[in-house]
Amino acid sequence: MRNILLTSLAAFALSTTAASAQEVTLRAVTAFAEGTQFSKPFERFIEKVNTDGKGLIKIQFIGGPRAMPPFEVGNAVRTKVIDIANVTGAFYTNLMPEADALKLMTKPMSEQRKNGSWEFINQLHNQKMNAYFLARQFHNVPFHIYLNKKIDKLDFTGLKIRVTPVYRDIVQALGGTPITTPPGEVYTALERGVVDGYGWPVSGIFDLGWDKVTKFRVDPAFYGAEVNVLVNLDTWKSLNDAQRKVLTDAALWLEGLDSENVAINASERDRQAKAGIQALDFGADESKKFLQRANDVGWQSVIAKSPDAGKKLRELSGN
Ligand code: 173
């Protein structure tokens, strides 16, 4: 009897050791086209996790918008259809309206991790997205409105402009008509004249050939791009400390890649000029007014949808 008990205990111990030592595989999707500006750093992150996490954790990269429509990625993380994703908050405001505030929170992540912003944003993701907020990328990458029709003041009256929630309020505030599309539909919408322009960050317009259908870039740049790495919360909880450490270390490394952005922005602006895309600049006073308006309408919109969390996010942002 004793022997049987000991043998089965030993067998049990062996099987749990084997289970905890097993390499776990996470399924990953990116909401931006593979190999493009807003997906590349995440693809580097995957490589790093797969190298540093050998024997512990592995990420299987399923792909980008061809594998899953961008506006569905947030929900796929929530429901654990996938374990980890590269996705902007702008694509999941239907599930978490506060995600629209992230564009207004423009401090570097090193600071947001110290001043309570990361913690609060993570809590919101836990509650509303069943997700862990592993990383945020693209500090220092602001947005622009790009146009095919010339304007002589900062007024979008009569213009149809492709948006996501990032740009909707400011486009409307300046009299434009917002039309929401995922990035994959921008080229055709411009080519067919369905829209007269679009919102997009300062970088990345060459990735999908939009330079061929873009004449003007409206200055100044506004807000700050954010693309997040989210992990399904059940997946996150199922990982052991060593596996979480691999992901967390790689996340901090990924956020560190933001130091490359200033140089990337400069070279993209240069490339736009060489491609004949003309910057429309209406001077310091008009620019200042525009930035103030963009900030105001952005916060108003977030706070209207989520008063308490919105106010707290604004406080944390300093904007
Ligand atoms: O324009 C967009 O599709 C958008 O909202 C976005 C957000 C972050 C990075 C790039 C694009």
Side-chain angles (χ1 to χ4, degrees):
M1 181 66 202
R2 198 156 203 226
N3 267 347
I4 294 172
L5 187 66
L6 282 179
T7 320
S8 58
L9 273 177
F12 176 73
L14 258 181
S15 72
T16 49
T17 326
S20 63
Q22 218 168 49
E23 189 180 70
V24 63
T25 301
L26 307 188
R27 290 157 50 87
V29 160
T30 171
F32 293 91
E34 287 169 51
T36 63
Q37 197 72 28
F38 296 96
S39 187
K40 271 190 290 194
F42 179 63
E43 293 164 34
R44 288 164 73 185
F45 162 89
I46 292 176
E47 272 175 36
K48 183 169 172 63
V49 169
N50 289 346
T51 305
D52 298 353
K54 262 206 167 58
L56 282 174
I57 186 164
K58 189 166 87 191
I59 299 182
Q60 181 202 347
F61 185 36
I62 295 169
R66 274 177 303 183
M68 181 179 289
F71 296 165
E72 284 172 26
V73 172
N75 200 40
V77 174
R78 189 179 70 79
T79 56
K80 207 169 175 314
V81 167
I82 50 176
D83 297 298
I84 185 165
N86 181 63
V87 58
T88 170
F91 294 176
Y92 55 82
T93 54
N94 55 329
L95 301 171
M96 178 179 153
E98 298 86 354
D100 200 24
L102 300 180
K103 69 188 182 195
L104 299 156
M105 304 188 75
T106 49
K107 289 181 176 157
M109 276 315 282
S110 51
E111 216 175 312
Q112 295 200 42
R113 284 184 181 275
K114 283 192 209 120
N115 75 1
S117 300
W118 177 86
E119 248 173 324
F120 186 58
I121 296 167
N122 183 41
Q123 273 171 26
L124 291 168
H125 280 85
N126 292 176
Q127 291 160 8
K128 305 209 162 178
M129 300 284 296
N130 189 37
Y132 183 81
F133 184 59
L134 185 66
R136 169 181 170 162
Q137 314 154 71
F138 301 108
H139 172 62
N140 264 338
V141 182
F143 296 98
H144 285 276
I145 300 295
Y146 297 85
L147 293 176
N148 272 331
K149 291 187 180 155
K150 193 162 190 174
I151 50 173
D152 51 19
K153 54 181 190 292
L154 278 164
D155 183 345
F156 300 148
T157 303
L159 298 176
K160 288 172 287 176
I161 299 177
R162 174 270 172 186
V163 300
T164 65
V166 170
Y167 330 90
R168 185 181 294 131
D169 298 298
I170 185 62
V171 162
Q172 260 170 341
L174 296 187
T177 304
I179 297 175
T180 304
T181 84
E185 289 171 23
V186 171
Y187 188 97
T188 313
L190 286 162
E191 200 185 26
R192 297 190 182 157
V194 173
V195 295
D196 306 303
Y198 57 97
W200 194 256
V202 60
S203 55
I205 71 157
F206 295 92
D207 282 335
L208 300 177
W210 300 347
D211 53 303
K212 296 185 200 80
V213 282
T214 303
K215 296 203 175 95
F216 306 101
R217 184 189 71 235
V218 180
D219 286 351
F222 57 101
Y223 303 154
E226 45 86 22
V227 179
N228 308 311
V229 180
L230 304 185
V231 182
N232 171 275
L233 195 54
D234 302 313
T235 300
W236 178 256
K237 285 179 179 162
S238 75
L239 301 176
N240 64 31
D241 288 348
Q243 291 162 335
R244 288 184 191 177
K245 185 171 183 331
V246 172
L247 288 183
T248 303
D249 289 350
L252 295 175
W253 171 87
L254 176 65
E255 288 176 357
L257 296 183
D258 277 345
S259 61
E260 298 174 5
N261 292 338
V262 173
I264 294 173
N265 296 349
S267 88
E268 291 267 323
R269 279 194 202 94
D270 198 44
R271 197 171 162 200
Q272 288 175 16
K274 290 199 176 100
I277 297 170
Q278 192 191 332
L280 302 176
D281 184 338
F282 302 100
D285 286 353
E286 288 304 306
S287 294
K288 202 172 153 206
K289 269 202 276 181
F290 171 86
L291 292 177
Q292 189 60 54
R293 190 88 193 270
N295 194 58
D296 289 347
V297 297
W299 282 117
Q300 271 161 23
S301 174
V302 172
I303 290 167
K305 285 176 213 128
S306 182
D308 294 340
K311 279 176 203 148
K312 171 141 190 191
L313 290 166
R314 183 163 201 180
E315 247 172 61
L316 287 164
S317 79
N319 282 333

